[in-house]
Amino acid sequence: MELAAASWLSNAPDRTEWLKDFQQLYSVVNVRPHFSILNPIAVENPRALPQQAICSITTVDDVEDYLERCGQIANKIYLTAFELPYADRAAVLAELRLMGVAAGSLFPGIDGACEEMRLKNFRP
């Protein structure tokens, strides 16, 4: 079993290139196929800031395929996927915790605290 992680334009160069190469449209009505990145203000969303969240709007059904086709046309890579062996899960989570990335920091509130305690005290 693999633990998959996708970098959806999350790397600054990928997102910067996408924004530079493609016009961002903020509508899904009567527009050409597109995938646009939004940078909304994190009002009343306590998870948006710790997760460094971005939002998107699209008119395509298969976003991965669309980004890949756009990348082929532009001779660039806009989406990178990483597959990590499930056996490395504990080590990866431990390293992330050292960097301050854990359930408690990503999900403020009781659910994040409980998940962090569960992972720390009850190994899968």
Side-chain angles (χ1 to χ4, degrees):
M1 183 159 146
E2 298 291 319
L3 176 66
S7 170
W8 289 87
L9 303 163
S10 62
N11 299 355
D14 297 346
R15 185 172 50 223
T16 302
E17 289 297 312
W18 180 264
L19 293 171
K20 183 174 64 173
D21 294 346
F22 295 93
Q23 178 186 8
Q24 304 301 289
L25 304 173
Y26 303 110
S27 175
V28 292
V29 180
N30 300 324
V31 293
R32 62 177 168 72
H34 74 92
F35 175 82
S36 298
I37 298 172
L38 308 173
N39 289 312
I41 299 171
V43 176
E44 296 183 20
N45 185 347
R47 294 182 176 179
L49 288 176
Q51 293 176 5
Q52 299 178 25
I54 60 171
C55 299
S56 62
I57 187 170
T58 186
T59 58
V60 297
D61 291 329
D62 188 343
V63 173
E64 290 180 32
D65 181 60
Y66 180 74
L67 293 175
E68 186 175 335
R69 283 187 285 119
C70 289
Q72 289 171 349
I73 292 168
N75 198 25
K76 294 182 181 179
I77 297 175
Y78 296 111
L79 175 68
T80 306
F82 303 94
E83 289 190 26
L84 307 172
Y86 187 80
D88 294 343
R89 180 179 188 268
V92 170
L93 290 174
E95 287 187 35
L96 287 169
R97 272 193 298 279
L98 287 174
M99 293 184 272
V101 179
S105 62
L106 293 175
F107 306 105
I110 190 74
D111 52 341
C114 289
E115 178 65 13
E116 192 165 338
M117 289 174 60
R118 184 187 71 78
L119 288 171
K120 190 180 275 187
N121 297 311
F122 304 101
R123 303 276 179 203

